[in-house]
Amino acid sequence: MKIKPECAICIIRQVVDAVKEITDDEKEQFRLIKNTMEVIKEVYGENAVPAWMGTVVHRHLKKISNNEDPYKNLKEKANKIALKYLDKVRELCNDNNDLERLRKKVLASIAGNVIDFGAYSTDIDIEKLIEDTLNDKLKIDNSKELLEDLKNEKIKKVLYICDNAGEIIFDRILIEEILKYNKEVVAVVKGKPILNDATLEDAKIANIDKICRVITTGSDIIGIILEECSEEFLEEFRSADLIIAKGMGNYESLTEYENEIDKPIYYILKAKCKPVAENIGVNVGDNILLKR
């Protein structure tokens, strides 16, 4: 997926947010933002992929600020919020119908994404946001196709590419459901910190390493850049029979490789911005389970 002109707003907002996490010194904030704006000018253009553009920009910001994990505090807060609501979300996902239970757990994994907003504000009712998402519908709903694939004995390995800290706590609920169908699940997190994306530390907090194998991309990529991923990740990517990719960054980047992917891939996300929503053909705020 290529960027739209308004993607400039998002990348600049992200830089400002990150800088405010790095330092309270206003003079230093101006220096970091101004320096990073020069990099944005270099990588911003009509052929850019949002996630890949963001990777270059945030790597630069980490380097000039000498801060490898600007979002560390926010990630810790998001994980704590998610853990607080985990049992309630599990309870809300209970259903005797296989399809409805799977659909609810997909929505639960999307509900974890709303914790992004909560990590930045004390004014937001996180519990209401989570419940609203769980009670919402999937605007694009390929849950029947996903259930059929999970019941297909020829599909043995599922590569589950995670998105954010906090959200990864609820990913466990969906991974547990996939494991019921006797699938091998390999969960993927980032090899190094970038934005608020989940790393191995977050996967351990979610106890995902207790139920399936966890690997990293081997790098600090927003989304996926196959050319920069570790050989371990590439081997799992090639050998997987089905891929589940969480979040907008993975959608933005993996759609660039779709002609090369010869297996079912499911995108699970909330369309948080107009460019992604328009690319998919939905409205901003819609919940998506899309098979490609």
Side-chain angles (χ1 to χ4, degrees):
M1 173 190 151
K2 300 297 190 288
I3 70 167
K4 295 289 186 180
E6 58 263 43
C7 291
I9 299 170
C10 183
I11 191 66
I12 293 171
R13 176 190 58 76
Q14 284 184 352
V15 169
V16 173
D17 287 343
V19 165
K20 286 186 175 181
E21 288 299 312
I22 291 168
T23 179
D24 293 327
D25 184 330
E26 196 169 271
K27 185 175 181 180
E28 178 67 359
Q29 289 175 352
F30 274 113
R31 183 188 77 82
L32 294 173
I33 293 169
K34 184 176 181 178
N35 192 304
T36 307
M37 293 276 276
E38 294 300 316
V39 176
I40 294 175
K41 286 168 60 178
E42 293 175 10
V43 296
Y44 175 78
E46 61 186 17
N47 292 318
V49 173
W52 297 350
M53 177 179 70
T55 298
V56 175
V57 170
H58 283 279
R59 281 176 176 170
H60 177 77
L61 181 56
K62 290 195 297 179
K63 181 179 179 180
I64 64 171
S65 66
N66 197 29
N67 188 322
E68 277 298 304
D69 195 1
Y71 285 77
K72 181 177 175 59
N73 291 335
L74 287 175
K75 289 191 294 182
E76 290 175 354
K77 182 176 180 180
N79 284 331
K80 288 178 181 177
I81 292 170
L83 286 168
K84 179 180 176 181
Y85 293 108
L86 179 60
D87 289 341
K88 183 166 188 177
V89 171
R90 281 187 193 280
E91 184 180 332
L92 291 171
C93 288
N94 285 335
D95 199 292
N96 291 327
N97 181 281
D98 289 350
L99 180 59
E100 190 56 33
R101 187 175 63 252
L102 178 63
R103 187 179 286 120
K104 286 180 178 180
K105 291 186 177 183
V106 167
L107 283 167
S109 74
I110 295 173
N113 197 240
V114 308
I115 294 169
D116 277 5
F117 303 113
Y120 286 97
S121 174
T122 57
D123 301 326
I124 293 174
D125 187 339
I126 295 295
E127 185 170 2
K128 185 178 185 304
L129 281 173
I130 292 171
E131 288 189 5
D132 285 350
T133 303
L134 286 169
N135 292 325
D136 203 355
K137 298 185 184 303
L138 291 163
K139 184 67 175 182
I140 295 180
D141 184 0
N142 288 149
S143 54
K144 287 183 180 179
E145 291 86 346
L146 178 56
L147 182 60
E148 289 172 2
D149 281 335
L150 292 178
K151 289 182 175 180
N152 185 345
E153 293 182 359
K154 292 182 179 179
I155 293 179
K156 300 183 182 302
K157 182 191 289 187
V158 176
L159 189 69
Y160 191 106
I161 305 176
C162 299
D163 187 20
N164 298 331
E167 178 179 353
I168 195 173
I169 306 293
F170 293 170
D171 283 330
R172 174 170 174 159
I173 296 173
L174 180 54
I175 291 172
E176 288 171 342
E177 185 67 18
I178 295 169
L179 290 169
K180 291 179 181 178
Y181 295 91
N182 296 316
K183 306 301 178 189
E184 176 188 357
V185 177
V186 178
V188 182
V189 293
K190 296 297 186 289
K192 299 176 184 177
I194 191 82
L195 287 177
N196 61 335
D197 288 6
T199 61
L200 195 56
E201 179 182 356
D202 301 300
K204 290 179 178 178
I205 290 171
N207 285 324
I208 288 178
D209 60 318
K210 302 288 178 58
I211 61 171
C212 71
R213 188 163 156 241
V214 181
I215 65 169
T216 79
T217 58
S219 187
D220 59 345
I221 304 158
I222 300 174
I224 295 294
I225 303 175
L226 292 178
E227 293 78 7
E228 290 196 25
C229 289
S230 66
E231 188 55 43
E232 180 184 36
F233 171 84
L234 293 175
E235 175 55 34
E236 297 298 341
F237 190 84
R238 288 190 289 260
S239 62
D241 301 303
L242 183 150
I243 297 171
I244 292 176
K246 292 290 306 301
M248 294 201 308
N250 284 321
Y251 175 82
E252 293 164 5
S253 55
L254 284 172
T255 47
E256 292 292 303
Y257 296 106
E258 281 186 347
N259 291 335
E260 305 169 32
I261 299 174
D262 59 352
K263 61 199 72 180
I265 179 166
Y266 287 87
Y267 296 106
I268 300 176
L269 68 145
K270 180 180 285 289
K272 292 182 178 178
C273 69
K274 188 176 178 182
V276 169
E278 287 183 346
N279 188 272
I280 298 174
V282 297
N283 296 318
V284 174
D286 283 342
N287 302 311
I288 309 299
L289 171 56
L290 173 64
K291 181 180 182 180
R292 289 276 182 89

